[in-house]
């Protein structure tokens, strides 16, 4: 039988080694001591929710606390593929059931989706209470399924937010009652994918908004070592893994990054400082011709972003990021 698992704050397990003592107290300790009622000599699993796995032997049982001796320490690696559930807000606890089932099946993140026409709306104190309830469901399901990595609970997303995440994902699936293709038979992307964020350069942004969210997105989903990120935008310094910015010329200026499509092989050679899009020249030329036939070539599709008059003026005069992204006044 699998050992019972308890989720602790990360600091409670930092630096713990074999033979060290760990005190299980607080809500987890009270639950263990009064509900599970383990005896001295029994073993439990402890985790920080980020992959750390500590097996402990009960050496003492107190009123609402357990004292354990560490007998083994291990860690579960970050998965190469991360699964995200976008769950619409629903009535009568149906969304709670979906979140619980998805957690037990191994989902890595849950995104609460609040569409403009959703009957349920998370607003004010009631919204915070509902969010805390979802988080409690995630924690309980994580322990019930003996997972050492608990799913993340993302900020509440609008339909536009969900659409943006779908565009940036390697694969997206709609779970619909009329669907005929089982999810188990769907083709999934491999580790080693490259996330391309474009139209964020001096002209395309405009103004080069920072890329902290995409880099945090990759790290939070365990893809920091499995995927690369390239962008014509900029970073704030909070990057992780292989993150490459200031791609020039930018997409809005007709740079090669504007012609990349899903599935294109991209070779990144860090020692030799090179990035190569492995697509035949004739295919790239065909893409460029198609791009330039658009009503507004070299612009993002379906992006809704308010742009001030000042930024529009800057975009019309901005130079490449490789030149400093300064304004070049017309002669």
């Amino acid at each position: 039988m699998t050992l019972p698992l308890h989720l602790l704050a990360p600091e409670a397990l930092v630096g713990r080694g074999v033979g060290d003592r760990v005190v299980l107290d607080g809500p987890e300790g009270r639950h263990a001591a009064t509900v599970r009622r383990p005896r001295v000599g029994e073993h439990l699993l402890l985790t920080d929710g980020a992959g750390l796995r500590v097996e402990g032997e009960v050496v003492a049982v107190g009123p609402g606390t357990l004292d354990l001796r560490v007998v083994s320490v291990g860690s579960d690696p970050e998965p190469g593929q991360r699964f995200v559930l976008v769950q619409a807000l629903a009535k009568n606890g149906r969304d709670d059931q979906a979140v619980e089932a998805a957690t037990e099946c191994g989902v890595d993140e849950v995104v609460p989706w609040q569409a403009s026409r959703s009957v349920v709306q998370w607003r004010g104190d009631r919204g915070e209470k509902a969010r805390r309830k979802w988080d409690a469901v995630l924690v309980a399901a994580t322990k019930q399924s003996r997972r050492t990595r608990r799913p993340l609970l993302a900020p509440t997303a609008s339909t536009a937010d969900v659409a943006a995440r779908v565009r940036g994902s390697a694969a997206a699936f709609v779970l619909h009652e009329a669907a005929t293709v089982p999810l188990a038979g769907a083709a999934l992307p491999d580790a080693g994918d490259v996330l391309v964020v474009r139209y964020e350069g001096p002209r395309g942004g405009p103004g080069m908004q920072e890329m902290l969210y995409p880099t945090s997105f990759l790290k939070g989903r365990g893809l920091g070592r499995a995927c690369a990120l390239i962008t014509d935008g900029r970073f704030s310094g909070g990057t992780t893994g292989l993150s490459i910015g200031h791609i020039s010329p930018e997409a809005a200026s007709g740079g090669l990054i504007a012609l990349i499509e899903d599935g294109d092989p991209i070779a990144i050679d860090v020692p030799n400082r090179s990035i190569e899009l492995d697509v035949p020249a004739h295919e790239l030329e065909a893409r460029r011709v198609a791009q330039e036939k658009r009503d507004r070539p070299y612009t993002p599709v379906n992006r809704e972003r308010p742009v001030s008059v000042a930024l529009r003026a800057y975009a019309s005069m901005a130079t490449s990021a490789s030149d400093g992204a300064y304004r070049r006044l017309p002669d």
Side-chain angles (χ1 to χ4, degrees), residues 49-216:
L52 182 62
R53 178 172 26 83
V54 175
E55 181 177 344
E57 178 187 3
V58 178
V59 295
V61 179
T65 64
L66 296 178
D67 287 357
L68 300 104
R69 180 180 62 85
V70 176
V71 297
S72 69
V73 178
S75 62
D76 294 327
E78 296 178 351
Q81 296 170 333
R82 304 284 291 182
F83 294 88
V84 179
L85 170 69
V86 177
Q87 175 60 48
L89 306 185
K91 297 192 301 181
N92 301 324
R94 293 194 300 272
D95 46 11
D96 295 352
Q97 297 169 14
V99 168
E100 179 181 35
T103 301
E104 293 177 349
C105 288
V107 75
D108 298 292
E109 181 187 10
V110 174
V111 180
W113 176 20
Q114 180 172 280
S116 59
R117 296 185 179 181
S118 294
V119 175
V120 177
Q121 297 283 321
W122 282 7
R123 294 196 178 99
D125 292 340
R126 294 184 65 181
E128 286 300 317
K129 181 180 179 180
R131 182 177 179 83
R132 288 194 299 269
K133 184 180 179 183
W134 273 35
D135 194 62
V137 170
L138 289 176
V139 170
T142 296
K143 294 189 292 185
Q144 179 65 29
S145 52
R146 309 300 197 264
R147 295 181 54 179
T148 60
R149 292 185 177 275
R150 62 151 292 177
L152 300 175
L153 180 58
T156 306
S158 64
T159 301
D161 295 332
V162 172
R165 294 198 61 161
V166 168
R167 287 196 298 271
S169 65
F173 306 94
V174 177
L175 306 183
H176 195 273
E177 66 271 13
T180 58
V181 178
L183 184 60
L188 298 176
D190 296 324
D193 284 346
V194 178
L195 175 63
V196 179
V197 181
R198 58 191 176 193
Y199 296 108
E200 295 293 351
R203 293 182 180 178
M208 300 190 78
Q209 300 185 38
E210 67 166 340
M211 293 289 100
L212 180 60
Y213 179 79
T215 55
S216 301

